[in-house]
């Protein structure tokens, strides 16, 4: 079970927190024929099976964790088979929202970031809010309007399977996006600097967020921490390094039984946030 810091509970209750949802949350969903959304590595390995010709260097890159390079090369080799494979992996199984998606929605964070390509949380949030939650891609021109107003917004940081051609998935995609959509990255930087982030189901290997968190931690070393739930058994030295270099406080839990402890902990967090909001309403201490 996760022991939720009071600072985090208060920030969520005051809607001073931004929720970041990673691919680990999507893995809770089940689609047709009991399919689950693939991990990044799982998708690359499936793509590699369709790659004819010399592919030993791609397999080696995947084994070394060089996913951006492997993805770049696989996209080139698969050519017109690439988009159908993306849709087959992330859309066609018709993944259904899981309990964890419902709990995260119940936290009622006004801004949700997600690098996920699938539309599992997006679709649930849109339906549950009677389509009043705005779903915005990194290249949408009116993102800032939704942020400045009182809208609930889901920001698709790397695009969506709904538009495969705009997905940020390869090394060249990342490099191009940082230049072409620099305004969006400035927005992410501002959100990280001025809000508390609760990171759920995401790792530390995304190059964009690595830079953003490291830059923010270096510029504002005395700032309040962000928080990341983790079922990984990080060594205490790694936990200290994450806190020092990215100002992220790790909230560990047991990953047994398909991360059941995370779901139970989020249920407790929803209750704690609700109680805190009731308190703020009574005291008008917003």
């Amino acid at each position: 079970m996760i022991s939720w810091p009071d600072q985090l509970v208060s920030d969520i209750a005051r809607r001073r927190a931004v929720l970041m949802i990673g691919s680990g949350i999507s893995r809770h969903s089940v689609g047709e024929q009991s399919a689950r959304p693939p991990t990044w590595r799982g998708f690359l390995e499936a793509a590699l099976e369709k790659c004819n010709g010399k592919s030993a260097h791609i397999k080696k890159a995947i084994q070394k964790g060089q996913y951006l390079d492997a993805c770049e090369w696989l996209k080139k080799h698969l050519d017109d088979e690439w988009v159908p494979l993306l849709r087959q992996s992330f859309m066609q199984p018709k993944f259904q929202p899981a309990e964890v998606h419902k709990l995260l929605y119940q936290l009622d964070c006004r801004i949700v970031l997600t690098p996920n390509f699938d539309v599992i949380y997006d679709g649930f949030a849109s339906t549950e809010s009677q389509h009043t939650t705005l779903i915005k891609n990194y290249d949408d021109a009116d993102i800032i309007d939704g942020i400045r107003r009182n809208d609930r917004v889901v920001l698709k940081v790397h695009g969506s399977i709904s538009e495969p051609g705009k997905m940020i998935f390869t090394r060249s995609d990342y490099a191009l996006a940082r230049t072409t959509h620099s305004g969006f990255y400035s927005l992410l930087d501002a959100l990280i600097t001025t809000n508390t982030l609760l990171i759920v189901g995401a790792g530390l290997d995304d190059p964009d967020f690595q830079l953003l968190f490291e830059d923010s931690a270096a510029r504002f070393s005395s700032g309040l921490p962000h928080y990341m739930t983790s079922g990984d058994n990080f060594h205490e030295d790694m936990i200290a390094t994450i806190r020092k270099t990215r100002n992220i406080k790790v909230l560990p839990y047991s990953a047994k039984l398909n991360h059941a402890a995370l779901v139970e902990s989020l249920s407790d967090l929803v209750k704690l946030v609700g109680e805190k909001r009731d308190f703020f309403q009574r005291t008008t201490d917003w």
Side-chain angles (χ1 to χ4, degrees):
M1 290 289 291
I2 297 173
S3 177
W4 299 107
D6 187 65
Q7 180 67 48
L8 174 61
V9 174
S10 294
D11 287 345
I12 297 175
R14 294 179 188 275
R15 296 187 177 85
R16 294 291 304 162
V18 172
L19 179 62
M20 179 175 165
I21 300 175
S23 60
I25 295 302
S26 294
R27 292 286 293 170
H28 287 256
S29 298
V30 180
E32 293 178 344
Q33 299 181 349
S34 301
R36 291 185 184 272
T39 61
W40 194 356
R41 176 166 183 154
F43 171 78
L44 295 178
E45 289 175 339
L48 184 62
E49 294 179 0
K50 295 180 174 292
C51 187
N52 297 320
K54 298 179 180 180
S55 58
H57 64 295
I58 303 178
K59 182 178 181 179
K60 188 174 181 180
I62 295 173
Q63 291 172 342
K64 288 185 175 181
Q66 297 172 328
Y67 297 154
L68 289 177
D69 292 323
C71 192
E72 186 87 34
W73 301 330
L74 285 166
K75 181 179 180 180
K76 173 187 173 183
H77 284 290
L78 291 180
D79 195 19
D80 59 346
E81 296 181 63
W82 180 249
V83 170
L85 179 61
L86 288 171
R87 293 190 183 279
Q88 177 186 336
S89 302
F90 294 100
M91 177 180 284
Q92 289 178 4
K94 300 179 182 178
F95 300 113
Q96 298 301 307
E99 180 65 18
V100 69
H101 293 96
K102 301 173 185 178
L103 292 170
L104 290 171
Y105 177 81
Q106 289 170 18
L107 291 176
D108 195 22
C109 293
R110 197 173 72 80
I111 300 172
V112 177
L113 305 177
T114 178
N116 296 349
F117 301 129
D118 63 66
V119 294
I120 302 169
Y121 180 82
D122 323 1
F124 175 77
S126 180
T127 301
E128 196 71 7
S129 67
Q130 296 181 323
H131 306 287
T132 59
T133 296
L134 304 180
I135 314 298
K136 293 295 179 182
N137 284 330
Y138 65 90
D139 63 335
D140 287 341
D142 60 345
I143 291 177
I144 197 65
D145 188 67
I147 299 293
R148 292 284 300 275
R149 297 183 187 277
N150 198 37
D151 296 312
R152 268 53 174 177
V153 184
V154 176
L155 296 181
K156 302 287 285 184
V157 178
H158 292 154
S160 170
I161 188 60
S162 300
E163 296 183 89
K166 295 183 178 181
M167 287 169 51
I168 301 175
F169 206 7
T170 67
R171 186 173 295 281
S172 59
D173 291 337
Y174 275 84
L176 181 63
R178 290 193 195 102
T179 302
T180 308
H181 303 287
S182 58
F184 178 74
Y185 287 90
S186 295
L187 171 61
L188 291 181
D189 181 52
L191 291 175
I192 290 172
T193 301
T194 59
N195 295 271
T196 296
L197 261 72
L198 171 59
I199 306 164
V200 185
L204 298 169
D205 53 358
D206 184 279
D208 284 341
F209 283 104
Q210 281 186 29
L211 291 173
L212 288 166
F213 281 113
E214 287 172 358
D215 286 350
S216 180
R219 285 181 287 136
F220 306 103
S221 58
S222 62
L224 289 170
H226 304 291
Y227 300 90
M228 180 181 75
T229 64
S230 177
D232 294 324
N233 188 22
F234 284 132
H235 188 276
E236 60 182 14
D237 286 343
M238 177 56 75
I239 292 175
T241 297
I242 293 170
R243 178 65 182 272
K244 181 178 181 180
T245 60
R246 305 181 192 182
N247 199 21
I248 296 174
K249 185 174 182 179
V250 175
L251 303 176
Y253 66 89
S254 171
K256 295 179 179 179
L257 301 176
N258 194 29
H259 299 261
L262 175 62
V263 178
E264 188 175 352
S265 296
L266 286 172
S267 180
D268 286 344
L269 181 59
V270 169
K271 295 176 184 176
L272 290 171
V273 169
E275 292 169 357
K276 186 69 73 172
R277 284 182 177 145
D278 289 341
F279 171 78
F280 288 149
Q281 185 175 19
R282 292 195 306 271
T283 62
T284 66
D285 183 21
W286 292 99

